[in-house]
Each structure stands twice: as C-alpha cells, then as structure tokens.
Amino acid sequence: MADINVTPLVDVMLVLLIIFMITAPMMTQGLDVDLPETTAKSLRQDDDPIVVTIDKDGVIGLGNLEGISQKVLLQELAKVGSTDTDKPIYLKADKAVPYGIVVSVMADIKKAGFDKLGMVTQPSVEEKP
C-alpha cells in the first residue's frame, strides 16, 4: 500500500508557524508617531526615500537610527547628501511636537543640501452623515 504520510509535514509546518508568530512582532522597528490628518491625496513614490521621524517626545530618528541629536542628524544627512541630493526625503512628525522643533529639523534637512522635502500625513477619516 503506497500512502503518503503527511504527519511529519504537518508537524514541521506547525513548528514554522509558531516560530514566525513569535518572531514577526520583533521585526517591526521605528518610532511611534501620531501623524496629523489631511484630506490631500497621496503622492506617487518612485524612489526609496530617506525618512526622518520626530516622535511626541521630540526624539529624532533617521531610517534605522533612533534617538539621535539634531547635530548627528545634520552630519548623517550631509553624508548622504554629498552623493545624492536629488533623493526625496520625508519628514514624519507627531502632531504633538512643537512647531519650532519641526522647523529646526526642516532647516537642517535643507542645510544638508536636500531640495525635495515632503511632509508625511495620515489621511483623515471622514465621517458619513
């Protein structure tokens, strides 16, 4: 009798499922940011942009770097800007961040030589009457 025994296959699949369920939450990274809402449509995105984040406590992040100062941000952006200033850069700032900090970071981005600066917002949820 030629039967296929699927019990080992099921055992392996269950183990892999458990491993992925445990490791998937650990793979998320970045700062939690409560973005302001807007009614504008999303822009097309062609390139892989540089993302600068500012969380509600004023902590600045650049890509995988978190908790950096504005001086370090300017240095890191200057490194990237020395090779490619045409690359788009996006600023994700929490809506609770003081305006002065956002403007200061924007000035540092411009000082590093980037011309294409975009602000990331969250689409507003319109209520139906």
Side-chain angles (χ1 to χ4, degrees), residues 64-97:
N64 294 333
L65 300 174
E66 295 179 13
I68 61 176
S69 67
Q70 281 188 262
K71 184 176 180 181
V72 174
L73 174 69
L74 183 59
Q75 292 171 352
E76 292 294 322
L77 288 175
K79 287 180 191 175
V80 176
S82 64
T83 58
D84 187 15
T85 56
D86 289 337
K87 193 168 189 171
I89 185 164
Y90 295 128
L91 179 60
K92 291 171 60 174
D94 194 284
K95 62 183 174 184
V97 174

Side-chain angles (χ1 to χ4, degrees), residues 70 74 77-78 81 85 104-115:
Q70 281 188 262
L74 183 59
L77 288 175
T85 56
S104 178
V105 170
M106 288 174 68
D108 287 343
I109 292 170
K110 290 290 187 179
K111 197 182 300 182
F114 289 93
D115 294 326

Side-chain angles (χ1 to χ4, degrees), residues 10-114:
V10 172
D11 289 343
V12 169
M13 295 305 289
L14 286 174
V15 169
L16 287 174
L17 177 67
I18 291 170
I19 290 172
F20 287 127
M21 286 174 55
I22 292 172
T23 58
M26 294 181 213
M27 306 263 312
T28 60
Q29 57 186 351
L31 301 173
D32 288 334
V33 178
D34 187 18
L35 296 174
E37 295 179 356
T38 183
T39 57
K41 292 184 179 180
S42 299
L43 298 175
R44 271 186 351 148
Q45 185 175 339
D46 294 334
D47 296 333
D48 186 30
I50 301 168
V51 179
V52 177
T53 58
I54 308 172
D55 72 355
K56 64 182 175 185
D57 298 322
V59 177
I60 301 172
L62 174 65
N64 294 333
L65 300 174
E66 295 179 13
I68 61 176
S69 67
Q70 281 188 262
K71 184 176 180 181
V72 174
L73 174 69
L74 183 59
Q75 292 171 352
E76 292 294 322
L77 288 175
K79 287 180 191 175
V80 176
S82 64
T83 58
D84 187 15
T85 56
D86 289 337
K87 193 168 189 171
I89 185 164
Y90 295 128
L91 179 60
K92 291 171 60 174
D94 194 284
K95 62 183 174 184
V97 174
Y99 185 67
I101 295 175
V102 175
V103 171
S104 178
V105 170
M106 288 174 68
D108 287 343
I109 292 170
K110 290 290 187 179
K111 197 182 300 182
F114 289 93

